[in-house]
Amino acid sequence: MTEHMNIAVFASGSGSNFQAMVEHETIRPHIKLLVCDKPGAKVIDRAEQYGIPVVVRRQADFPGKESYEQDILKHLQEQTITWIFLAGYMRLIGPTLLHPFSGKIVNIHPSLLPDFPGLNAIQQALKAGVRETGVTIHFVDAGMDTGPVIAQQTVPVLPGDTENTLQTRVQKVEHTLYPETIVKLINK
Ligand code: GRF
């Protein structure tokens, strides 16, 4: 791994995946920035605890998506970011960020894509009555959870599962699969 692997994590929520990355000793030194679009999100506290710089921006405070992403791009460039890992960032990435980071933006999704894309993937799996679901890590393109798959791991759906119990099982897999995949990607 070279000195030039500078990671920004984009997250909007709790940040348990962000925490799993930060706790991984190979990844930790490369995390230079957290970008968050939800003031007050728990992930912001986690970043501050680890002394990781945070940029909090609400798209609603900008005239549109392009100017919002231009502002974020400026911060990414200031930190010479080379990889973006989305971890519960609940927005589509627009061309302003996709073009300069082509092939360098990765997302984690709590289903076996192409099954159950978009919101509430755990709920969708329960409703569909599938016996297994899982976790997908994929490159980001302009679509919703549509880019090329990098890694997948299955998770069983057990009789009596609720959204909570299934989500807990899925997230446990996320917290090892994402860091492992990141290490492989940035080592290439
Ligand atoms: C994860 O389940 C991830 O797959 C999805 O959003 C959730 C984020 O959880 N994209 P957390 O904020 O990392 O706890």
Side-chain angles (χ1 to χ4, degrees):
M1 204 181 308
T2 74
E3 293 298 309
H4 306 295
M5 298 300 178
N6 291 334
I7 293 172
V9 181
F10 285 28
S12 311
S14 145
S16 68
N17 280 282
F18 170 79
Q19 176 111 19
M21 293 177 208
V22 174
E23 285 177 357
H24 194 291
E25 60 175 17
T26 310
I27 301 173
R28 166 71 190 92
H30 297 277
I31 302 179
K32 304 297 183 195
L33 193 64
L34 171 73
V35 173
C36 181
D37 66 329
K38 294 259 167 60
K42 189 171 165 194
V43 68
I44 298 169
D45 298 338
R46 297 195 203 241
E48 285 170 352
Q49 267 168 29
Y50 286 96
I52 293 169
V54 182
V55 170
V56 184
R57 293 288 182 276
R58 285 174 0 122
Q59 189 175 304
D61 293 334
F62 292 82
K65 191 181 190 80
E66 192 187 339
S67 52
Y68 162 75
E69 288 193 338
Q70 281 291 354
D71 184 89
I72 292 172
L73 181 60
K74 190 187 73 193
H75 288 90
L76 300 176
Q77 287 168 339
E78 274 169 17
Q79 303 282 342
T80 57
I81 295 300
T82 53
W83 281 96
I84 298 172
F85 294 109
L86 310 184
Y89 180 69
M90 307 305 283
R91 290 182 177 280
L92 286 178
I93 302 288
T96 308
L97 293 175
L98 271 179
H99 289 155
F101 286 93
S102 166
K104 296 284 188 177
I105 310 180
V106 174
N107 183 41
I108 185 164
H109 184 78
S111 77
L112 296 175
L113 290 172
D115 290 345
F116 316 129
L119 291 178
N120 305 321
I122 304 276
Q123 207 180 322
Q124 290 185 56
L126 279 176
K127 217 171 158 191
V130 292
R131 298 175 77 169
E132 60 179 27
T133 183
V135 175
T136 301
I137 294 167
H138 66 96
F139 288 110
V140 170
D141 63 13
M144 167 98 74
D145 303 320
T146 50
V149 170
I150 303 165
Q152 284 188 312
Q153 192 170 322
T154 59
V155 174
V157 180
L158 301 179
D161 256 344
T162 63
E163 228 177 288
N164 255 336
T165 58
L166 182 54
Q167 180 169 348
T168 302
R169 198 173 309 117
V170 165
Q171 285 223 314
K172 202 166 169 224
V173 169
E174 292 190 331
H175 298 159
T176 56
L177 187 65
Y178 211 4
E180 278 170 20
T181 307
I182 290 171
V183 168
K184 285 184 196 157
L185 284 169
I186 66 178
N187 268 325
K188 266 190 184 160

